Amino acid sequence: MRIDWLARAVPQASALYPYVPGKPIEVLLREKGLSHAVKLASNENPYGPSPKAVEAIRKAAGEVHRYPDGDAGALKAAIAAFHQLPADRIIVGNGSNEVLELIIRTFAGPGDEVVYSWRGFIVYALAAQAAGATGVAVPEADGLTHDLQAMAQAVNEKTKVVCIANPNNPTGTLLDLTSLQGFLDLLPRDVVVILDEAYYEFVADELGDSLTTLTHPGLVVSRTFSKAYGLAGCRIGYAVADAAIAALINRFREPFNVSLPAQAAAIAALADGEWVRARVADTLVERDRMEAVLQQLQVYGGHSHGNFVLLRHAGSRQIAASLEDRGIIPRPLAGYGMADYLRISVGTAAENDAFIAAMQDILAAMESRS
Ligand SMILES: *Cc1c(COP(=O)(O)O)cnc(C)c1O
């Protein structure tokens, strides 16, 4: 007789499902028999990491017979110096994703609530569910932007954690620091608020410094090396929190949760600020160009503050399929209740040219058929 493993698993397993990532390039190549594809599905840095980070990984490769520093002392020191904060306030993880999960798991379990925006990053909902906590998804007032008023009202005595992505993925919206501080002031002081700044580098000039501006005892600001820094494949991210919160989260962490090459790469990448700023500037120029084209083509889904743009069209499913036929991988957003949207990462100029040419083609074909 077959064993019903689901019945044996923790109760929250039945409602859980695996995170659906952007389609990997190799998978599309295999599916379509293509020799070349452009992935615009996961908001990666299309230029690659800093050459200094690549060199650090090369050097680290000869040392991987040793465990990494479990406490990531050198990396934490580098991050602390970068932010001019004490190192005991830094939490590092296998991607900021792990940091987010650790925070939620440390504070929320069965009977507790985790509040987030309905069209916020899906990982908050998944992490809350995995922890056995109850996720509370608050609708956006305008369909895209966090409704901070409603989110504050959703907080009650069961609420342990609130999650906000700023800029938000997938909607690309940005909250200013004044609005965020107003929101924090409405909350009980002991509610943990995760401010997920995965796209911070793309809005640094516009937003200002949340770390030095915002005040709330339970504030945890997370950043990642996966987006602007170009180290998504290394899996490395971090958060800044109250030292007592950071110490608690350490209890839930695996002993060696950040690999040796990842630690080395992140230290080198952080030191090469010039390189990151140049790539961010390239990306912002290209994002403006792509948004202008989407407007011209009348498929504009609204302004994005991240390294991605939003395409909106009733035939988005067909557009996605046609893009994939042409070797371009977009990110459908049906899972966020945004069935008529596609999220398109900003690629290199050549990649974006390919996307734009494909879109002109696809829309012309759709029009001539209708
Ligand atoms: C990409 C992304 C992350 C980063 O994930 P990593 O685990 O650091 O690669 C976190 N939050 C949001 C909103 C993202 O879009």
Side-chain angles (χ1 to χ4, degrees), residues 94-98 100 121 124 165 169 196 198-199 224 226-227 235-237:
N94 186 35
S96 59
N97 211 304
E98 189 198 17
L100 302 172
F121 192 40
Y124 315 140
N169 172 24
D196 177 351
Y199 300 95
T224 184
S226 298
K227 305 284 158 64
R235 311 305 305 125
I236 170 92

